[in-house]
Amino acid sequence: MLKRKNVNTIFLLGLIVLLAISIFIPIPRILFALLAISWFLLTLCGSFFIRWNYHLDSLNSNREIAESQVAITFDDGPHPEHTPKVLSLLKRYNAKGTFFCIGKNIEKHPELLKEIIRQGHSIGNHTFSHANTFGFFGTSKVMQELNRTNELVENLTGLKMALYRPAFGVTNPSIARAVKNLEFNSIGWNVRSLDTTFRNENQVLKRITSKTEKGSIILLHDTSAKSVVVLERLLVFLENRKLESVTVDQLLQIRAYV
Ligand SMILES: [Zn+2]
């Protein structure tokens, strides 16, 4: 698998070789430009596709699991309108889920966070601000964001969260350092529903069901009516396939809290 350090080393060596050759024969500038563009594109893809594990290792599924289990994860809540509907659906279908909550939303709806835990689901850290510019934050700012949300949750529930879901699925060297320093497990997915895009319920559901298998981690959001509709149909699908929905920590056999 491609890793940032290996890619950087290879491209640096490529640059040195080109420079060395250029001492003896002229090298067309386009070759240097191509090298730089390839490096940039690889780094960009590595930052956006969490499953590449390019900057840091995220846990994206559990292919080794013996039981017929999957984990549904919900990002960006808690949401006053949609999270309660998600909770009642999970209850009706006897399913458990994992909620990666945004700190500023927890501050607004602390009772919802407590209710998620009371119903036996797991929670994880999904930054404090979920700012669009999160990918440009330095290591200390990322650490501040994660610490602020963890402290908030610890004050409300006594639980110290150990799971982190990267905002937008974006990773980079600063985020990798922060996750390592704070000893979080980074949790990715192998089934991205794209439920926050223009796709309708049928398209989103088809994306999920065509990719879901034993050990899958599914990404949804508890922030829209569309996702709630998709969730109910997904739970029926899982029931028919005899796939049990468990918390992500159970699926991965790790701890959700320190
Ligand atoms: Zn998010």
Side-chain angles (χ1 to χ4, degrees):
M1 207 62 180
L2 287 170
K3 295 275 178 193
R4 174 173 54 92
K5 278 180 187 158
N6 303 342
V7 166
N8 286 354
T9 307
I10 290 165
F11 276 86
L12 192 63
L13 284 174
L15 182 64
I16 291 168
V17 168
L18 279 184
L19 286 171
I21 296 171
S22 72
I23 295 171
F24 305 103
I25 52 167
I27 299 273
R29 281 190 191 167
I30 185 80
L31 279 183
F32 287 99
L34 281 174
L35 192 72
I37 291 167
S38 316
W39 174 84
F40 178 74
L41 289 177
L42 266 177
T43 305
L44 196 68
C45 290
S47 303
F48 278 101
F49 299 125
I50 199 162
R51 290 176 65 194
W52 279 30
N53 284 347
Y54 189 77
H55 295 286
L56 79 161
D57 287 330
S58 294
L59 302 166
N60 303 313
S61 64
N62 182 359
R63 297 189 186 285
E64 315 297 320
I65 196 161
E67 294 85 359
S68 294
Q69 295 175 336
V70 299
I72 309 175
T73 61
F74 303 93
D75 284 11
D76 296 359
H79 188 285
E81 188 183 339
H82 306 296
T83 305
K85 289 178 185 162
V86 165
L87 287 174
S88 76
L89 278 176
L90 292 175
K91 197 177 202 173
R92 194 187 312 160
Y93 288 87
N94 204 19
K96 294 288 181 247
T98 305
F99 294 76
F100 288 99
C101 300
I102 298 174
K104 65 177 183 185
N105 292 343
I106 297 170
E107 237 173 25
K108 285 186 225 156
H109 312 290
E111 290 313 313
L112 271 178
L113 182 91
K114 289 181 185 170
E115 187 57 26
I116 291 170
I117 294 163
R118 205 187 61 75
Q119 295 196 19
H121 308 293
S122 291
I123 52 164
N125 195 320
H126 194 47
T127 78
F128 185 84
S129 68
H130 204 280
N132 289 334
T133 50
F134 198 83
F136 299 99
F137 286 6
T139 306
S140 64
K141 204 165 176 193
V142 174
M143 286 174 69
Q144 272 174 26
E145 286 257 346
L146 303 194
N147 279 332
R148 193 170 169 191
T149 300
N150 255 41
E151 279 162 22
L152 182 61
V153 168
E154 196 173 355
N155 288 337
L156 284 169
T157 66
L159 297 170
K160 204 171 170 197
M161 297 185 291
L163 307 181
Y164 170 63
R165 163 67 56 78
F168 312 105
V170 167
T171 57
N172 59 33
S174 299
I175 293 169
R177 271 191 296 273
V179 166
K180 191 172 174 230
N181 291 348
L182 298 174
E183 298 180 342
F184 277 101
N185 263 317
S186 175
I187 307 297
W189 55 77
N190 69 337
V191 181
R192 186 172 205 170
S193 63
L194 296 179
D195 58 338
T196 53
T197 64
F198 59 88
R199 290 165 178 78
N200 66 32
E201 286 92 342
N202 291 338
Q203 291 166 320
V204 173
L205 186 75
K206 201 171 170 198
R207 264 188 74 85
I208 303 173
T209 54
S210 64
K211 293 176 182 179
T212 297
E213 56 188 1
K214 188 176 79 164
S216 285
I217 298 177
I218 301 161
L219 167 63
L220 276 172
H221 295 79
D222 51 333
T223 52
S224 76
K226 179 168 75 181
S227 301
V228 173
V229 171
V230 169
L231 174 64
E232 175 147 33
R233 291 170 63 186
L234 171 61
L235 289 166
V236 171
F237 168 84
L238 295 176
E239 203 171 62
N240 290 338
R241 293 289 171 98
K242 308 253 183 297
L243 284 166
E244 184 192 5
S245 174
V246 297
T247 60
V248 82
D249 44 299
Q250 187 180 337
L251 186 88
L252 296 167
Q253 289 153 13
I254 58 173
R255 289 168 65 95
Y257 313 106
V258 177

